[in-house]
């Protein structure tokens, strides 16, 4: 609030790959790390959260605070063993997955294992965007894990050139494959999509397995099946699209004709209003200007398209002030807008069937040979249709199994990372009440004293109490300041007094009294190795001895202090010059001073 930071948590928010945001406010770090994964995976690196130390505020989640996971190797082996046990018993495996994201990790696990062991059981990735997802993954290898990026850089081996996973955009191809198979189908909730239809078909067979790789959302079919014990009979809604016939088709066509007539009338009215306003503009302008000419509207099968043009004004005459465009005179109808933006006229984007260029549709298979005629007809089909839904009872006899492949750090890892980062203030969001309270009590005892767990839509103020004020540098002060170049920066002494401006803010003003003298300050940083080379170039005999730089016979240079403080900030160091006062001492001191900027 005001100059502070306001946090208003949402109900949930899953960040793919564990994105971490760092915000710097008044010299303090605010870290946002929700749903992060510290462990390196096949297609993503782990979140580098351990590099941060003592941020002012850390915002993280308690989603997995009560869950502890096995090692990645053990988890992957159990995952593959469950799949192989099912297919070797002549069963099918269904993995309800998202359309893009965590499914990439599952695909790489199966692809690499199948390649290593030369397995022949078919694997299918079935979503409407299967090809797009993999194509994008192929082109974003630099955002993947280091192993994938280096493999492509050295051997040009793209991990997403899949040899054992077949991409499908229609489930008709599955019906042609006999024998056991593994299908990764959307959606993960089982409420809709290909996974919904396949589950209804396979649920009654005891040989089959439905393997969940993420926790189902509340009140979804996936969550019901993951309950302990799961229900053995569930009601599902089956939907099917059928073409309109008879009275429904006639009513639909009548409605479409009515809408076209209304759109035509509205366009004609707008055109007449445009003609009238254009004529009034020309009559009020220069009488020597050429009068406007409006082309007559022309119609076609897709509807009426109107265009209006204004002739170029005669060279040498001044255009009227109300002219729309004197240089490129073109009349354009103003667009209508509503609360959501510009109103889109669908007729402008409709093409007639006879004008459709069928040659632009690939005749051959486009997705690994699986863009069949049925899929192409689905894309081109514009037949009026409706969706008919019916409720069906499914008796679940297949095996149900849940394994955590969500890509989140478990409770044990989260507690360890929070103890290492050690924030001054901690905000917990996105987690159940039990998990949030558990992590809050743990952090209050072991991490920090200020832990917040706001409710949904609750705002909290985590502003730090800093003894710092914002001041403005007045122009009168800055005009007398002499800057000196220091690398990429400019530095200067500023002697001023604090005053208050008219708007109530603080400002630095020139001193009303004479400027007091100040000691010389040497600004900069040097390395002892670089100083050794510099002194050697000036004819001074130098050598390192006992961590110090021995110069000549009697003078010693020693650097003391920490170069880096906790948190990554630069520390304060001093260079001590020791030796008897002599010509050699003052000579070496002058060489040392020459390495700094004097203020």
């Amino acid at each position: 609030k005001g100059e502070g930071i306001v946090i208003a948590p949402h109900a949930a928010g899953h960040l793919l790959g564990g994105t971490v945001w760092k915000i710097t406010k008044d010299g303090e770090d605010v870290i946002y790390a929700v749903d992060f994964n510290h462990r390196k995976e096949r297609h993503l690196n782990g979140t580098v959260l351990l590099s941060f130390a003592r941020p002012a505020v850390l915002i993280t989640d308690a989603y997995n605070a009560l869950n502890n996971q096995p090692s990645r190797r053990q988890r992957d082996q159990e995952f593959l063993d469950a799949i192989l046990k099912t297919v070797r018993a002549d069963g099918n495996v269904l993995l309800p997955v998202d359309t893009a994201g965590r499914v990439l990790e599952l695909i790489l696990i199966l692809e690499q294992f199948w390649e290593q062991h030369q397995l022949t059981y078919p694997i299918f990735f079935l979503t409407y965007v299967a090809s797009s997802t993999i194509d994008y993954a192929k082109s974003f290898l630099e955002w993947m894990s280091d192993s994938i990026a280096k493999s492509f850089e050295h051997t040009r081996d793209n991990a997403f050139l899949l040899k054992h996973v077949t991409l499908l955009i229609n489930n008709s191809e599955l019906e042609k494959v006999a024998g056991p198979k593994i299908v990764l189908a959307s959606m993960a909730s089982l409420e809709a999509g290909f996974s919904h239809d396949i589950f209804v078909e396979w649920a009654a067979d005891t040989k089959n397995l439905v393997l969940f790789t993420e926790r189902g959302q509340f009140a979804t079919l996936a969550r019901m099946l993951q309950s302990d014990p799961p229900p053995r009979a569930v009601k599902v809604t089956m939907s099917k699209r059928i073409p309109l016939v008879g009275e429904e088709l006639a009513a639909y066509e009548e409605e479409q004709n009515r809408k076209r007539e209304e759109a035509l009338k509205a366009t004609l009215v707008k055109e007449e209003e445009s003609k009238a306003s254009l004529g009034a503009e020309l009559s009020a302008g220069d009488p020597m200007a050429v009068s406007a000419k409006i082309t007559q509207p022309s119609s076609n099968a897709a509807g009426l398209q109107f265009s209006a043009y204004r002739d170029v004004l005669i060279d040498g005459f001044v255009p009227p002030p109300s002219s729309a465009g004197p240089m490129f005179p073109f009349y354009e109808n103003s667009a209508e807008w509503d609360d959501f933006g510009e109103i889109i006229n669908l007729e402008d984007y409709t093409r007639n069937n006879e004008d459709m260029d069928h040659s632009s549709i690939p005749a051959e298979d486009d997705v690994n040979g699986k863009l069949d005629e049925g899929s192409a007809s689905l894309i081109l089909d514009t037949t009026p249709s409706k969706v008919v839904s019916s409720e069906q009872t499914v008796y679940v006899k297949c095996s149900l199994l849940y394994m955590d492949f969500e890509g989140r750090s478990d409770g044990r890892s989260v507690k360890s990372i929070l103890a290492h980062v050690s924030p001054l203030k901690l905000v917990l969001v996105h987690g159940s009440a039990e998990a949030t309270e558990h992590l809050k009590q743990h952090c209050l005892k072991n991490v920090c004293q200020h832990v917040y767990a706001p409710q949904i839509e609750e705002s909290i103020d985590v502003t730090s109490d800093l003894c710092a004020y914002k001041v403005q540098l007045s122009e009168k002060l800055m005009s007398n300041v002499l800057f000196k170049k220091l690398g990429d920066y400019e530095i200067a002494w500023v002697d001023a007094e604090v005053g208050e401006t008219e708007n109530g803010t603080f400002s630095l003003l020139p001193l009303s009294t004479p400027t007091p003298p100040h000691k010389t300050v040497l600004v900069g940083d040097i390395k002892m190795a670089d100083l050794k080379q510099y002194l050697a170039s000036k004819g001074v005999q130098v050598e390192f001895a006992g961590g110090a730089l021995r110069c000549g016979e009697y003078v010693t240079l020693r650097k003391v202090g920490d170069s880096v403080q906790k948190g990554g900030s630069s520390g304060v160091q001093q260079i001590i010059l020791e030796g008897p006062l002599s010509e050699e001492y003052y000579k070496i001191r002058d060489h040392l001073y020459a390495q700094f900027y004097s203020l």
Side-chain angles (χ1 to χ4, degrees):
K1 297 179 180 179
E3 295 299 329
I5 301 172
V6 176
I7 304 169
H10 297 282
H14 185 83
L15 302 178
L16 177 62
T19 304
V20 175
W21 294 83
K22 177 183 177 182
I23 306 171
T24 300
K25 175 67 176 178
D26 293 335
E28 295 187 322
D29 293 336
V30 178
I31 308 298
Y32 178 87
V34 174
D35 294 337
F36 64 89
N37 183 15
H38 74 289
R39 295 194 294 187
K40 185 176 180 180
E41 296 185 314
R42 284 173 172 80
H43 81 294
L44 289 177
N45 289 324
T47 302
V48 187
L49 192 58
L50 295 176
S51 60
F52 300 106
R54 300 292 290 175
V57 180
L58 173 62
I59 308 170
T60 188
D61 68 287
Y63 187 83
N64 244 10
L66 298 177
N67 298 328
N68 292 321
Q69 302 173 357
S71 64
R72 197 190 86 171
R73 178 176 297 180
Q74 179 183 350
R75 181 199 62 180
D76 292 353
Q77 190 60 48
E78 292 176 356
F79 172 77
L80 295 168
D81 289 344
I83 292 177
L84 291 177
K85 180 180 178 181
T86 301
V87 294
R88 285 170 177 169
D90 203 26
N92 300 319
V93 180
L94 170 64
L95 288 86
V97 295
D98 51 14
T99 55
R102 297 302 306 170
V103 66
L104 298 177
E105 180 74 10
L106 302 177
I107 288 177
L108 287 184
I109 293 175
L110 295 172
E111 176 73 18
Q112 294 176 9
F113 189 81
W114 255 239
E115 179 68 20
Q116 293 172 2
H117 296 81
Q118 296 299 313
L119 301 177
T120 58
Y121 298 108
I123 306 173
F124 298 98
F125 179 36
L126 175 60
T127 72
Y128 285 120
V129 293
S131 58
S132 301
T133 299
I134 300 303
D135 287 343
Y136 277 113
K138 292 177 184 176
S139 60
F140 284 99
L141 297 183
E142 67 273 16
W143 298 97
M144 302 289 180
S145 63
D146 294 338
S147 58
I148 290 181
K150 290 180 180 178
S151 176
F152 181 77
E153 181 180 352
H154 295 156
T155 64
R156 315 309 292 177
D157 182 18
N158 194 319
F160 290 95
L161 288 175
L162 306 177
K163 302 177 182 178
H164 302 277
V165 179
T166 304
L167 309 181
L168 299 179
I169 63 173
N170 192 289
N171 58 359
S172 61
E173 191 69 22
L174 291 178
E175 302 174 357
K176 304 177 183 178
V177 180
K181 47 188 169 290
I182 301 100
V183 180
L184 297 90
S186 60
M187 302 284 296
S189 63
L190 285 181
E191 289 292 316
F194 292 118
S195 63
H196 173 82
D197 299 337
I198 296 176
F199 168 75
V200 173
E201 181 181 352
W202 291 359
D205 193 339
T206 56
K207 297 180 180 179
N208 298 333
L209 168 67
V210 178
L211 178 54
F212 298 98
T213 57
E214 63 180 72
R215 276 171 283 185
Q217 298 178 1
F218 180 74
T220 62
L221 179 58
R223 174 65 70 89
M224 293 174 57
L225 295 174
Q226 293 173 17
S227 61
D228 188 21
R232 290 305 169 184
V234 294
K235 291 185 178 180
V236 297
T237 301
M238 301 298 296
S239 300
K240 183 179 181 181
R241 182 175 294 277
I242 60 175
L244 297 180
V245 294
E247 296 180 357
E248 292 181 334
L249 179 59
Y252 172 81
E253 293 176 346
E254 182 180 352
E255 179 67 16
Q256 295 300 313
N257 292 333
R258 185 185 62 80
K259 291 182 179 180
R260 281 193 291 266
E261 290 176 359
E262 291 179 355
L264 177 59
K265 291 179 181 179
T267 306
L268 291 174
V269 171
K270 184 182 295 186
E271 183 68 19
E272 292 297 331
E273 293 176 352
S274 301
K275 289 180 182 180
S277 61
L278 185 58
E281 290 178 2
L282 289 177
S283 62
D286 192 341
M288 296 300 295
V290 177
S291 61
K293 296 180 181 180
I294 307 299
T295 60
Q296 294 298 326
S298 59
S299 60
N300 52 31
L304 295 179
Q305 296 179 349
F306 299 95
S307 59
Y309 299 91
R310 175 178 294 173
D311 289 345
V312 177
L313 301 177
I314 297 176
D315 187 19
F317 289 87
V318 179
S322 59
S323 177
M327 181 175 293
F328 297 101
F330 173 73
Y331 176 76
E332 182 179 5
N333 291 331
S334 59
E336 295 183 0
W337 293 71
D338 58 11
D339 294 338
F340 301 96
E342 182 180 351
I343 298 177
I344 302 300
N345 184 13
L346 298 180
E347 297 293 337
D348 295 341
Y349 302 93
T350 302
R351 300 178 63 181
N352 292 334
N353 292 334
E354 57 269 18
D355 295 334
M356 181 70 72
D357 185 10
H358 295 282
S359 62
S360 63
I361 304 298
E364 298 182 358
D365 297 344
D366 186 49
V367 187
N368 287 357
K370 299 302 178 290
L371 181 57
D372 53 16
E373 296 179 359
S375 303
S377 63
L378 179 62
I379 297 175
L380 298 176
D381 188 14
T382 58
T383 304
S385 59
K386 67 177 181 179
V387 177
V388 178
S389 300
S390 61
E391 196 173 72
Q392 178 178 340
T393 300
V394 177
Y395 295 94
V396 182
K397 299 180 181 179
C398 64
S399 301
L400 302 173
L401 183 61
Y402 165 72
M403 293 186 180
D404 189 356
F405 279 87
E406 294 180 337
R408 296 181 173 96
S409 295
D410 61 359
R412 181 174 55 251
S413 301
V414 169
K415 294 174 184 176
S416 175
I417 292 173
L418 292 180
H420 176 85
V421 176
S422 186
L424 298 178
K425 295 183 179 181
L426 179 64
V427 181
L428 301 177
V429 297
H430 187 200
S432 64
E434 184 181 1
T436 302
E437 184 62 24
H438 170 79
L439 186 58
K440 179 180 178 180
Q441 296 302 323
H442 171 82
C443 294
L444 285 173
K445 184 178 180 180
N446 302 286
V447 179
C448 62
Q449 298 179 353
H450 304 283
V451 182
Y452 304 89
Q455 300 297 320
I456 297 175
E457 298 183 358
E458 177 187 355
S459 298
I460 61 174
D461 188 354
V462 291
T463 306
S464 298
D465 297 328
L466 298 176
C467 297
Y469 300 89
K470 289 186 177 181
V471 295
Q472 296 178 349
L473 300 177
S474 63
E475 295 183 2
K476 187 176 181 180
L477 170 68
M478 299 306 296
S479 61
N480 298 322
V481 174
L482 299 178
F483 285 92
K484 289 188 177 181
K485 189 73 173 178
L486 176 60
D488 296 334
Y489 304 94
E490 292 183 352
I491 59 176
W493 268 104
V494 177
D495 297 295
E497 59 185 24
V498 179
E500 190 171 356
T501 61
E502 297 179 355
N503 56 6
T505 60
F506 294 107
S507 178
L508 291 184
L509 305 174
L511 293 176
S512 57
T513 59
T515 304
H518 52 76
K519 295 181 179 180
T520 301
V521 176
L522 300 179
V523 181
D525 185 22
I526 60 173
K527 296 180 179 179
M528 298 298 285
D530 296 339
L531 181 60
K532 177 178 180 295
Q533 294 181 0
Y534 177 78
L535 293 176
S537 67
K538 297 298 182 180
V540 180
Q541 184 178 0
V542 292
E543 62 180 359
F544 280 108
L549 191 62
R550 188 70 178 267
C551 306
E553 188 174 354
Y554 303 107
V555 181
T556 302
L557 284 172
R558 182 180 292 107
K559 181 182 287 190
V560 297
D562 296 330
S563 60
V564 179
Q565 293 179 341
K566 185 176 182 180
S569 60
S570 59
V572 178
Q573 291 182 305
Q574 292 181 343
I575 296 181
I576 299 177
L577 181 63
E578 300 175 341
L581 297 179
S582 60
E583 183 179 354
E584 184 182 35
Y585 176 88
Y586 288 110
K587 179 181 178 181
I588 294 174
R589 190 185 69 171
D590 292 339
H591 290 321
L592 177 63
Y593 285 171
Q595 307 303 307
F596 295 92
Y597 293 86
S598 177
L599 286 179

